[in-house]
Amino acid sequence: MDIRPFTIAIPQADVDDLADRLVRTRWPDELPGAGWSRGVPLESLKKLATHWAVHYDWRAAEAQLNEFPQFTTEIDGQRIHFLHVRSDNPDALPLLITHGYPSSFAEFTTLIGHLRQDFHVVAPSLPGFGFSTPVRESGWAMSRTARAWVELMRRLGYHRYGVHGGDVGAGVSGAVAGMDGEHVVGVHVVTDPLTAAATATFLPGMADRLDPADPVDKLALDRMAEFQRQGSGYLAIQNSRPQTIGYLLNDSPAGQLGWIAEKFEEWTDLPYDRDQLLTIVSLYWFTGSGISAARFLYEQAHSFDWGAPPAVPQGFAVFGADATVRKLVDPPAGAYWAEYERGKHFPAMEAPEVLAADLRTFFGELR
């Protein structure tokens, strides 16, 4: 039940070690003309790694993160780290927001600035991510995390709250709403065509509704097949051999950087703050959570517990929208549905004002 204030304070020796490791990276060669077709191009990653080692200021980023009230508590034997940003608005609605992969609570720093007038924001780090470490036992996937989130909101004294998330965070948010419908006023999730296609490749039943003879259904099936062929390598490794990839992620900052930067390149279409990306990667590096984050995906891939469907109002914000997303998501009748032409997997970084406005619109009807 103990909730303790938390301040990020990475030892200077760890900061110096990171810079030293980056400077001494043993870079591989590269085939000419490969571009992004085989992964992150050599010169692109060298440039980003140099910026991380020479120009990026971790201490400034650390100070910025520490401007947000942070806490830790233990739930179900697991250390849980979270931001808790209270609004000055007496009518503010508590809002539990959950990040996805490969991300962290730092994805939400700009978004929270747009939300704090209307919401008390609680932003936990998923078990195995960032400062919600170490993870000492198996079984931490979406449903167990959702149960921990329900307990967290109870400990904070919130008896009526909304939930929001994207990617893995969308699954956790839906499970929270399914478990705690007595207290959850509504669940809001973000998605995009690639995320919807990726989810449909492993979530039972999603693809069964599609008819190859229908043009839109065929486009969705083609996108799923393309993801399986070209975009699912990271999932195949982490869903099957997280320990093996963990040696790379834990020992090579250039390896951890490439693993995450590739996804930001592929999964965004609007500009985002490069230093904010490096803050996210730095959190993975300093906490050694690359391997435990990979294990979270492994646990979910081997779990049959996807949680009960929510029986509360549901809202969907689709970024980079096209017709395939509604087909794949198949929202329940009466669900809130909003589509935005630009933005993709990381709308809290790509389009924070748009996402904040959408959250206000959805939850404004539920207060």
Side-chain angles (χ1 to χ4, degrees):
M1 294 294 294
D2 189 24
I3 294 177
R4 299 169 295 279
F6 178 81
T7 300
I8 303 171
I10 302 300
Q12 187 59 41
D14 291 354
V15 179
D16 295 340
D17 176 66
L18 169 60
D20 180 63
R21 286 172 180 261
L22 286 168
V23 170
R24 294 189 298 107
T25 299
R26 185 185 180 200
W27 295 105
D29 65 2
E30 180 182 49
L31 292 175
W36 283 87
S37 65
R38 300 175 184 232
V40 185
L42 178 60
E43 288 307 313
S44 294
L45 197 61
K46 276 187 174 182
K47 182 177 179 181
L48 190 55
T50 298
H51 180 78
W52 194 13
V54 177
H55 303 291
Y56 171 77
D57 186 347
W58 164 255
R59 290 302 180 202
E62 185 180 69
Q64 182 184 41
L65 293 176
N66 282 331
E67 291 176 1
F68 295 88
Q70 298 175 61
F71 304 86
T72 61
T73 191
E74 184 176 302
I75 302 175
D76 192 11
Q78 176 60 44
R79 182 192 201 221
I80 300 298
H81 162 265
F82 61 98
L83 304 186
H84 187 194
V85 183
R86 294 183 183 270
S87 174
D88 293 330
N89 179 358
D91 297 321
L93 176 72
L95 180 64
L96 173 66
I97 61 177
T98 306
H99 66 84
Y101 183 89
S103 193
S104 77
F105 71 94
E107 176 185 353
F108 296 132
T109 53
T110 303
L111 177 67
I112 289 172
H114 295 293
L115 294 177
R116 62 192 311 167
Q117 177 59 35
D118 300 286
F119 300 96
H120 304 299
V121 180
V122 179
S125 298
L126 289 167
F129 291 69
F131 299 105
S132 289
T133 49
V135 177
R136 300 298 190 192
E137 61 183 11
S138 62
W140 279 102
M142 292 195 302
S143 286
R144 188 174 181 182
T145 301
R147 286 191 288 273
W149 279 195
V150 171
E151 170 62 15
L152 174 62
M153 297 303 278
R154 188 192 69 80
R155 289 186 189 182
L156 293 176
Y158 290 136
H159 304 295
R160 188 172 184 274
Y161 63 96
V163 289
H164 160 77
D167 188 67
V168 172
V172 173
S173 297
V176 169
M179 293 175 186
D180 199 27
E182 180 183 354
H183 302 109
V184 174
V185 301
V187 54
H188 179 280
V189 301
V190 293
T191 190
D192 61 88
L194 178 63
T195 302
T199 304
T201 62
F202 62 85
L203 188 63
M206 278 187 73
D208 297 342
R209 301 187 301 268
L210 302 180
D211 178 4
D214 181 279
V216 175
D217 288 12
K218 184 178 185 306
L219 179 60
L221 289 167
D222 289 346
R223 182 165 283 126
M224 291 169 57
E226 180 66 10
F227 172 78
Q228 287 279 59
R229 187 174 68 87
Q230 291 280 36
S232 63
Y234 78 101
L235 268 181
I237 293 172
Q238 294 180 129
N239 288 353
S240 61
R241 296 293 184 269
Q243 189 68 29
T244 303
I245 193 62
Y247 300 115
L248 164 70
L249 301 178
N250 202 62
D251 190 60
S252 169
Q256 180 69 83
L257 177 63
W259 198 249
I260 293 178
E262 178 190 79
K263 298 312 168 195
F264 272 77
E265 171 65 23
E266 293 181 340
W267 296 351
T268 59
D269 73 347
L270 287 174
Y272 57 87
D273 187 330
R274 178 174 58 173
D275 281 0
Q276 190 176 10
L277 164 62
L278 291 175
T279 297
I280 291 171
V281 181
S282 296
L283 288 169
Y284 276 81
W285 176 257
F286 288 132
T287 61
S289 56
I291 184 170
S292 51
R295 284 198 294 256
F296 189 100
L297 300 185
Y298 176 93
E299 296 290 347
Q300 188 58 47
H302 292 79
S303 172
F304 295 99
D305 184 2
W306 292 84
V312 301
Q314 298 181 51
F316 300 84
V318 184
F319 287 82
D322 69 16
T324 67
V325 181
R326 195 172 190 113
K327 280 278 190 175
L328 290 169
V329 172
D330 191 27
Y336 170 87
W337 186 270
E339 297 184 356
Y340 301 97
E341 183 179 352
R342 301 295 305 279
K344 285 187 180 178
H345 192 72
F346 302 98
M349 291 173 63
E350 296 177 81
E353 293 184 13
V354 175
L355 177 54
D358 198 87
L359 284 162
R360 285 193 295 269
T361 298
F362 173 68
F363 286 108
E365 299 297 322
L366 304 175
R367 290 180 181 278

